[in-house]
Amino acid sequence: IFPKPVQVEMPVCVGAKAVWRSSATGWTPVEGAKFCDGRVVVALDHFCDVVVTGYCQLKAIGFIDPRDTTAKVVLLHVACRSCQNNLDQLCLDAEMLELFKKCGPSAPLGTYGHQERLQARQAGQEVLNMPVMFHRMPQVSGKLTAQSARHFSVEIDGTEHRFEELLSEAVTASPTSQLRSTPASEARPSAAAWLGG
């Protein structure tokens, strides 16, 4: 912690609206950020990572549970390594996505701002309202209905998207499910097994 807050000036893109800093519990907004002439000035009282956001490109990835034909949609930032790493963790959690299979193709959703609302709907189902929360990405929808154990469709903000189970076993939702199906005689106890090596 600094004895006095330090003023930090950074270049920003057109459309920048908010500054976030890393903390032990995730990302928190930086209050009092001053935007002017393609720059932002913030006061920080400790070393931390800082991110400036505005309107961002989002995509949706579908997941399907073939046991009971339910599905979920996950929202992520486009080309975001942090979102992808967090999605990988969700795919290892039995209460989230471990039992689901990843579907494709991913659906580009366009540009959204923080806290803007997105609607997902299916025929005969209640509308799912999802506020876009940049500091909580990726976001997992509530359960949707799959038309079969291999595909489902959902309308997201007025555009219909069809997600189909990926046939390649190399792209499954859960790396642990691959490890469980490997016979003990073929199991590799090294770290390379987790990395696919």
Side-chain angles (χ1 to χ4, degrees):
I1 295 184
F2 306 136
K4 290 185 185 176
V6 173
Q7 298 285 317
V8 178
E9 183 178 294
M10 299 173 288
V12 294
C13 294
V14 173
K17 291 175 52 176
V19 180
W20 302 82
R21 70 171 159 214
S22 61
S23 70
T25 59
W27 292 96
T28 58
V30 177
E31 301 298 328
K34 296 176 185 144
F35 292 89
C36 183
D37 297 325
R39 300 198 165 292
V40 65
V41 177
V42 295
L44 301 173
D45 60 2
H46 65 282
F47 283 106
C48 58
D49 290 326
V50 176
V51 175
V52 180
T53 63
Y55 285 91
C56 295
Q57 290 286 325
L58 296 182
K59 67 179 179 179
I61 298 177
F63 286 84
I64 196 165
D65 185 343
R67 300 167 307 148
D68 63 1
T69 61
T70 58
K72 293 183 180 183
V73 170
V74 178
L75 302 180
L76 312 110
H77 289 114
V78 170
C80 176
R81 190 171 306 176
S82 177
C83 281
Q84 187 58 53
N85 290 340
N86 290 335
L87 177 60
D88 292 344
Q89 288 180 355
L90 290 171
C91 289
L92 296 174
D93 188 318
E95 294 180 11
M96 296 303 296
L97 295 172
E98 181 182 31
L99 302 176
F100 286 71
K101 291 186 178 183
K102 186 175 181 180
C103 297
S106 61
L109 300 179
T111 304
Y112 285 83
H114 178 64
Q115 296 184 334
E116 191 172 340
R117 292 200 168 272
L118 177 144
Q119 288 190 337
R121 69 178 75 218
Q122 291 181 302
Q125 304 293 320
E126 274 189 47
V127 174
L128 285 175
N129 286 299
M130 296 178 67
V132 177
M133 307 296 281
F134 286 162
H135 61 300
R136 294 206 173 113
M137 289 291 191
Q139 288 178 251
V140 181
S141 75
K143 287 189 176 181
L144 299 165
T145 302
Q147 287 76 26
S148 82
R150 305 203 52 184
H151 69 86
F152 72 99
S153 295
V154 61
E155 180 185 308
I156 302 174
D157 276 352
T159 302
E160 188 78 16
H161 300 282
R162 179 180 168 101
F163 298 97
E164 297 183 3
E165 178 186 351
L166 298 172
L167 299 179
S168 168
E169 288 200 9
V171 194
T172 58
S174 171
T176 57
S177 64
Q178 289 179 3
L179 293 176
R180 271 189 248 125
S181 64
T182 304
S185 61
E186 298 175 23
R188 293 172 280 173
S190 67
W194 290 97
L195 300 173

